Amino acid sequence: MVLAGLSTWVWWSERQGSDVEEDGVPEAPLLPDCDPADVTALRIGPEGKGVSLERAADRWLLAGDPPRPAEGALADLAARSLCELDSLRSLDGTGDLSQFGLGTDSRTVSATVAGTTRSLRLGDSAPVGEGRYAAIDGALHLVSPAAVAVFDRDPLDFRDRRVLPLDPAEVTALTLQRGEDILAFERRQRWWFLAEEPGWRAETAALDGLLQDLVGLSAAAYPDSVLDPVASVSLDLGEQSASISFAPSGVAMAAVASGEALPAGFGGEGAQVDASFLAALPFEPEAWRALELVDFNPYVVDEFRWAAAGESFTFVRTDGAWARGEEGAKADAGAVQDFLTALDGLRAVGFVDAAEGAVEVARVEAAERTGRAFELVLLRSPTRDLVRIESETGLREVDGAAFELLGHLDTLAQGGAAL
């Protein structure tokens, strides 16, 4: 083992030559006149391969026809790494540099700075210690491997791989299509509604989750061809729109995005993506209807009116305390909050368009401190209990829990024990 180590040391000493500087010499920048902010182009990779980056205003582009958006943070890191690269040691650079991994096929890194191109070549790692060979302007140096690691990244890493770079909050309508099945949704304020049904509120969390999945799609590869699409999603964003189509691509899916809402450089080509969430999407409208009677936050309701059995009371929250009625009698804050929480937890068990003979038995009108208000009406027919939500057509069928909660005012009217 000792003999092997000694041989390695001798071999490395011979490779680096006789002109190695003494230890303790300060690190020196290889490109002293290079400011990362002034780099307008980067070329990384062996000759004829690799990646070409160009800075356009405040963003980076991958050179091509057409140019494609680059991963800006990684491009900035590459420019900074090159401009701030230090020489740990200078070596004798005469002779055959291929012994240091610096032959004609070595990795070249070039930067255009103020119209001038500066280049260096990266070679092998030093056999002893930490260091990597680099050649610049005919000189041989050892540099930190960590400082040049960015130049060994896969060329695809430098591409902005987003397929649908949109802001989900700006989407006002969404249409799903799979074969002959089509589902359309529209956003009103922060809630989603089924567009083709009589005003049913949709599961807003599910639609928001779908949008997050769509904008989160990232290309793993860019196939040369894309088969006929099997599903698509269309998005409206005010006066602009975008769409994305999905087609089989081996074990994955290929996605093609298009539309004027996409930023420049995006769309128009196939991208292999993980779109497994598509398989779980139901295409029956009933599956998207919101079962929650009212989507609200019980902790930001500051006033509500509850009417039932011929009586009604108004409850108002002031400085964290609840008061009941015009006389402002103190109400049991715990009971009031429990009531609102229970109201928020009510769920439908079915949906009907209308109900003959149904009569109103209770009503709740509430206002949040956000300015939003809602109204819920409990109806009883000879066969079932129903709820109508203001601004929504159609009725939700509910079980006995809704009548138990809303059908009488005894508990809160008396201000007694919690519900």
Side-chain angles (χ1 to χ4, degrees), residues 20-233:
V20 179
E21 294 185 356
E22 295 293 327
D23 290 340
V25 175
E27 297 178 353
L30 289 180
L31 299 175
D33 299 323
C34 181
D35 185 338
D38 294 334
V39 174
T40 58
L42 284 168
R43 178 74 176 82
I44 305 167
E47 192 67 30
K49 301 179 182 178
V51 59
S52 294
L53 297 160
E54 298 176 354
R55 196 195 298 268
D58 59 347
R59 65 176 186 149
W60 286 93
L61 297 175
L62 281 169
D65 186 18
R68 296 291 184 179
E71 188 61 52
L74 194 59
D76 285 338
L77 174 61
R80 190 167 60 252
S81 297
L82 182 61
C83 288
E84 298 176 358
L85 185 60
D86 290 325
S87 172
L88 303 181
R89 292 183 180 89
S90 60
L91 312 174
D92 181 6
T94 60
D96 182 12
L97 295 184
S98 63
Q99 62 180 315
F100 302 99
L102 290 165
T104 56
D105 60 346
S106 61
R107 185 172 295 271
T108 301
V109 183
S110 302
T112 301
V113 185
T116 301
T117 299
R118 303 289 302 277
S119 300
L120 66 81
R121 288 183 292 149
L122 296 174
D124 295 338
S125 297
V128 177
E130 292 187 2
R132 184 170 176 180
Y133 297 111
I136 181 171
D137 296 334
L140 182 63
H141 301 267
L142 274 179
V143 298
S144 166
V148 294
V150 65
F151 305 123
D152 293 324
R153 298 286 291 265
D154 188 310
L156 190 58
D157 290 346
F158 286 90
R159 175 156 183 184
D160 189 333
R161 301 196 207 189
R162 292 177 298 167
V163 180
L164 204 66
L166 302 173
D167 183 353
E170 295 182 358
V171 177
T172 58
L174 181 153
T175 301
L176 301 173
Q177 182 167 0
R178 185 172 61 193
E180 299 297 324
D181 297 323
I182 298 177
L183 274 176
F185 304 88
E186 57 187 30
R187 195 201 298 267
R188 304 173 197 163
Q189 297 179 328
R190 69 177 181 87
W191 295 275
W192 284 96
F193 292 81
L194 285 150
E196 301 300 327
E197 288 205 320
W200 292 118
R201 192 174 77 255
E203 288 287 358
T204 291
L207 267 298
D208 287 344
L210 174 58
L211 281 175
Q212 290 295 336
D213 287 336
L214 290 170
V215 301
L217 288 172
S218 179
Y222 295 90
D224 294 332
S225 60
V226 177
L227 301 177
D228 293 335
V230 296
S232 65
V233 182

Side-chain angles (χ1 to χ4, degrees), residues 387-408:
V387 165
R388 182 177 69 245
I389 309 299
E390 181 189 22
S391 79
E392 294 184 28
T393 56
L395 302 170
R396 287 175 171 82
E397 183 177 358
V398 293
D399 58 20
F403 183 81
E404 288 299 318
L405 178 68
L406 301 173
H408 53 83

